[in-house]
Amino acid sequence: VDIRQNSAVHERTVAELLEAVEPGTNYAMLSEDERIARLVGELRTSRPLTSPFLSYSEETVGELAVFRAAADAHATFGEFVIPQCIISMTRGVSDMLEVALLLKEVGLIDAKGASRINIVPLFETIEDLRECADIMDRLLSMPEYRRLVDSRGGVQEVMLGYSDSN
């Protein structure tokens, strides 16, 4: 079983979480470089983003529930039960780091950068397919992300092409 979701949903979820802990963040309005810097900063800290004392949208609650269920499944059955999280419509480095942050939030990535799940981009549009090598080069050159890959045996899976969910 895999976790699979569109990058736009992850973006909205992370934007809401960041806005809740720091009003005025306006994550959706940040440039790609600003997003990357913000996400890397969050990955470096052990501070949780979620709080039982805050209210979140139905979409964010649902997304967090999926990630928490995956963490529970890992704890109950082992990490092979859900080996990867696939990001449909991956368009940039921030799409990958957003998922890393959500996985960290539920304990599937620890504070030292060890991951219990593979993060797998799915590049689907012609433009994204043209850019995917540059995106992956940039991502894999980042120490915070590289640690995640190294903790999974040094292998990064990448999916290319359109995946019809029907």
Side-chain angles (χ1 to χ4, degrees):
V1 177
D2 299 320
I3 299 172
R4 175 179 265 183
Q5 183 57 275
N6 189 292
S7 63
V9 175
H10 297 142
E11 177 186 322
R12 289 191 301 270
T13 300
V14 167
E16 184 174 345
L17 295 177
L18 290 172
E19 192 67 28
V21 297
E22 190 178 323
T25 301
N26 295 320
Y27 179 79
M29 303 307 284
L30 298 178
S31 70
E32 177 70 355
D33 287 340
E34 291 169 325
R35 286 180 185 205
I36 291 168
R38 181 63 194 253
L39 294 166
V40 166
E42 290 295 335
L43 288 171
R44 288 180 182 156
T45 182
S46 58
R47 173 184 61 98
L49 285 176
T50 58
S51 169
F53 305 106
L54 296 173
S55 297
Y56 303 103
S57 69
E58 185 177 328
E59 181 178 63
T60 293
V61 168
E63 286 307 301
L64 291 171
V66 168
F67 284 99
R68 287 183 181 124
D72 290 345
H74 271 237
T76 303
F77 302 108
E79 68 182 51
F80 296 108
V81 69
I82 302 174
Q84 55 202 19
C85 181
I86 301 167
I87 307 164
S88 298
M89 296 302 292
T90 301
R91 295 176 183 241
V93 170
S94 64
D95 294 332
M96 301 284 288
L97 297 177
E98 289 162 358
V99 167
L101 185 58
L102 294 170
L103 292 170
K104 181 181 127 277
E105 194 63 27
V106 299
L108 289 172
I109 290 177
D110 69 25
K112 295 179 182 176
S115 181
R116 297 187 337 195
I117 193 166
N118 298 318
I119 301 172
V120 180
L122 172 52
F123 297 101
E124 299 182 68
T125 70
I126 297 298
E127 181 180 336
D128 296 335
L129 289 166
R130 287 184 180 129
E131 298 296 322
C132 69
D134 291 337
I135 291 167
M136 293 310 299
D137 283 345
R138 183 173 184 192
L139 191 63
L140 292 169
S141 70
M142 301 172 72
E144 294 78 10
Y145 190 80
R146 188 71 221 191
R147 275 193 293 279
L148 300 177
V149 173
D150 289 345
S151 74
R152 301 291 298 165
V155 175
Q156 172 67 63
E157 182 177 346
V158 175
M159 296 175 71
L160 304 174
Y162 180 70
S163 175
D164 188 348
S165 60
N166 291 324

